[in-house]
């Protein structure tokens, strides 16, 4: 069971890192679009930041929920 919990923790961590990387790249696109008066790039940057933040939050939450459920299983 410990191996499964470590695997779920690792997958949750990877999801959080990917989400935060999307927030970072979205901010870069947002800044570039704002600097160059490129409306579509600004919109894409905002969308990437929002969806990356949602992915990071959901990945951590889902992993924590799965681990809590696994810990409640009878041994």
């Amino acid at each position: 069971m410990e191996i499964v919990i470590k695997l779920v923790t690792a997958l949750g961590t990877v999801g959080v890192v990917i989400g935060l990387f999307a927030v970072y790249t979205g901010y870069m696109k947002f800044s570039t679009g704002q600097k160059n008066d490129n409306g579509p790039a600004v919109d894409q940057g905002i969308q990437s930041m929002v969806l990356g933040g949602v992915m990071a939050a959901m990945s951590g939450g889902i992993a924590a929920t799965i681990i809590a459920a696994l810990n409640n299983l009878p041994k």
Side-chain angles (χ1 to χ4, degrees), residues 47-65:
Q47 182 179 6
S48 180
M49 287 188 291
V50 169
L51 294 178
V54 168
M55 180 179 176
M58 287 182 64
S59 295
I62 290 171
T65 304

Side-chain angles (χ1 to χ4, degrees), residues 1-25:
M1 187 65 72
E2 284 186 38
I3 294 173
V4 174
I5 290 174
K6 287 182 182 180
L7 180 65
V8 170
T9 302
L11 290 174
T13 303
V14 168
V16 169
V17 169
I18 291 172
L20 292 176
F21 185 73
V23 171
Y24 175 72
T25 57

Side-chain angles (χ1 to χ4, degrees), residues 24-75:
Y24 175 72
T25 57
Y27 176 73
M28 297 298 287
K29 185 176 278 191
F30 170 78
S31 296
T32 303
Q34 198 171 29
K35 177 181 167 187
N36 296 327
D37 288 330
N38 186 353
V42 171
D43 292 341
Q44 289 173 354
I46 292 171
Q47 182 179 6
S48 180
M49 287 188 291
V50 169
L51 294 178
V54 168
M55 180 179 176
M58 287 182 64
S59 295
I62 290 171
T65 304
I66 291 171
I67 291 170
L70 289 173
N71 285 330
N72 286 332
L73 291 175
K75 295 181 181 184

